[in-house]
Amino acid sequence: MDIAPNVSVKNSAIVTTMPTNPYGGGPGTGISLPEYFKPTPSVQSRNQYYPGTEELGADEMRISFVGSTPFPPRRDQAGTSIMVELGNGERLFFDFGPGCLRNIISMQVPQQEVNDIFISHLHVDHYHDISYLLPFSAWSGRYLPLRVHGPSGRTPNWVRKQ
């Protein structure tokens, strides 16, 4: 006997099932596209990368330049940032320049999974988007601390020793 679309009674116990998401994924997993949004075989080629369509092997890595603009900044290109995806599921980010976060999210990487950021040097064009990442961390479901690695700057006593 069905009580509601997502609640049923079986053997005198109430069973609640969550409705399925037509776009796949789950809470905090980012945006997943249904099959009909993925590229058709006639469009796919080794020359184009479509996020979420290629699995990495355990001994493989993918290096994506999610921003590469030097000075002066441009509206149509993000600042310096490189995303390294490892076959074990880890992601490493080298520099985090202005505009790179929008490109990372457009590659279907959930914001709360952006972690392990390595800053090469302390010019603002290499760490700018951390200022967007931090305020929205709790809103996006981040429950682990953000790990940022980089140089100490002029005052070495500001560095936290682990």
Side-chain angles (χ1 to χ4, degrees):
M1 170 179 146
D2 286 334
I3 298 173
N6 62 343
V7 177
S8 60
V9 176
K10 291 182 182 176
N11 298 331
S12 301
I14 296 177
V15 178
T16 305
T17 57
M18 297 298 294
T20 59
N21 180 350
Y23 300 106
T29 60
I31 300 169
S32 298
L33 299 176
E35 284 299 317
Y36 53 84
F37 277 118
K38 293 190 177 175
T40 58
S42 62
V43 176
Q44 284 183 331
S45 74
R46 295 182 64 100
N47 299 325
Q48 296 284 343
Y49 170 67
Y50 296 94
T53 59
E54 293 179 14
E55 295 293 324
L56 284 176
D59 60 342
E60 295 180 323
M61 71 169 56
R62 179 183 301 122
I63 301 172
S64 303
F65 285 78
V66 291
S68 60
T69 297
F71 195 81
R74 293 176 24 184
R75 179 183 282 182
D76 61 342
Q77 191 174 3
T80 305
S81 183
I82 300 169
M83 178 174 67
V84 177
E85 297 173 279
L86 303 176
N88 64 2
E90 288 186 53
R91 287 189 187 94
L92 307 172
F93 298 89
F94 294 89
D95 290 333
F96 217 70
C100 74
L101 189 57
R102 75 166 175 258
N103 291 345
I104 292 167
I105 291 172
S106 72
M107 292 181 73
Q108 299 182 14
V109 176
Q111 180 181 346
Q112 65 271 24
E113 290 184 16
V114 174
N115 217 345
D116 291 317
I117 301 172
F118 296 86
I119 305 300
S120 62
H121 60 281
L122 297 178
H123 290 167
V124 73
D125 62 321
H126 290 263
Y127 65 84
H128 176 273
D129 267 14
I130 294 175
S131 65
Y132 288 107
L133 187 63
L134 286 175
F136 295 103
S137 289
W139 173 82
S140 70
R142 176 186 296 280
Y143 59 92
L144 295 173
L146 177 65
R147 292 185 300 265
V148 180
H149 313 272
S152 64
R154 298 175 116 192
T155 313
N157 61 350
W158 287 1
V159 177
R160 189 176 132 217
K161 307 264 191 276
Q162 292 188 356

